């Protein structure tokens, strides 16, 4: 089934540990995004990639890094997790970065940093 | 600054009509999106407006007024499965989506 897959589904992580959230899509979409969703707040963009080989910073990039070595994969790394990074993380993709482009979301990763 | 405002929660009755409002203020404008998100699930696309007016898609319609920075999502013939959060998002001049916090819609029988 075509779509976008995230792993893990949920994770409890000790503060200070390094963690990589995985995201893979098989729709050959050019643009990919990482968002975090916190109660009472809208989705906030962490990092994005408009095409393979390029990445950009979103609204809340501090403490996170990404890479886009190929079209399909867009991993998000927390170098040294802190409790404020407890959140639900969504990866999304769209055919291209532009207007009138529907974003498709993964099922999310629920991360708890303790 | 950039800001999206929408009500936190609304309640409606099965079979009725509900209108969810959204006001936006973003740096540039490249369209207004509505997404539906059931509890514990991923957001899914509902509608896109870039020109003023009403776009109808089955039981759901979306309206945009660019001069007022205003949009609404209209849901007709409400069904219990419509209980979800509805997310309004404006696309800014960099083609990035600025999201509202979402409106939780509770449908009562």
């Amino acid at each position: 089934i075509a779509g976008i897959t995230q792993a893990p589904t949920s994770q409890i992580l000790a503060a200070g540990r390094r963690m990589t959230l995985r995201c893979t899509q098989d729709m050959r979409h050019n643009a990919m995004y990482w968002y975090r969703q916190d109660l009472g707040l809208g989705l906030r963009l962490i990092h994005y990639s408009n095409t393979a080989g390029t990445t950009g910073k979103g609204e809340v990039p501090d403490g996170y890094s990404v890479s886009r070595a190929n079209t399909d994969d867009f991993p998000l790394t927390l170098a040294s997790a802190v409790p404020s990074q407890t959140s639900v993380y969504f990866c999304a993709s769209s055919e291209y970065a532009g207007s009138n482009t529907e974003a498709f979301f993964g099922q999310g990763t629920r991360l708890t940093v303790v | 600054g950039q800001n999206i405002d929408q009500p936190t929660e609304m309640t409606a009755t099965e079979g009725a009509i509900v209108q969810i409002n959204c006001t936006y203020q973003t740096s540039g404008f490249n369209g207004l999106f509505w997404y539906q998100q059931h509890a514990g699930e991923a957001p899914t696309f509902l509608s896109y407006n870039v020109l003023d007016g009403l776009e109808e898609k089955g039981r759901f319609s979306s309206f945009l007024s660019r001069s007022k920075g205003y949009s609404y999502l209209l849901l007709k013939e409400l069904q219990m499965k419509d209980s979800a959060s509805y997310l309004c998002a404006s696309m800014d001049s960099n083609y990035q989506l600025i999201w509202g916090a979402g409106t939780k819609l509770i449908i009562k029988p």
Side-chain angles (χ1 to χ4, degrees), chain A residues 42-89:
Chain A
L43 288 160
R44 290 185 291 169
L45 183 65
I46 304 171
H47 285 286
Y48 65 93
S49 170
N50 288 339
T51 189
T54 70
T55 63
K57 293 182 179 180
E59 180 186 355
V60 289
D62 294 343
Y64 306 95
S65 63
V66 292
S67 62
R68 187 88 185 277
N70 56 59
T71 298
D72 298 344
D73 302 302
F74 191 44
L76 175 73
T77 297
L78 287 68
S80 179
V82 294
S84 62
Q85 292 178 311
T86 293
S87 187
V88 179
Y89 291 85

Side-chain angles (χ1 to χ4, degrees), chain A residues 12-60:
Chain A
I12 298 174
L13 186 68
R17 297 296 295 270
R18 180 184 179 90
M19 171 85 189
T20 295
L21 279 58
R22 300 185 298 280
C23 176
T24 300
Q25 54 100 1
D26 61 3
M27 297 175 283
R28 308 302 295 171
H29 284 174
N30 288 298
M32 297 187 75
Y33 314 88
W34 273 105
Y35 291 96
R36 59 178 290 173
Q37 187 174 40
D38 302 290
L39 196 63
L41 298 177
L43 288 160
R44 290 185 291 169
L45 183 65
I46 304 171
H47 285 286
Y48 65 93
S49 170
N50 288 339
T51 189
T54 70
T55 63
K57 293 182 179 180
E59 180 186 355
V60 289

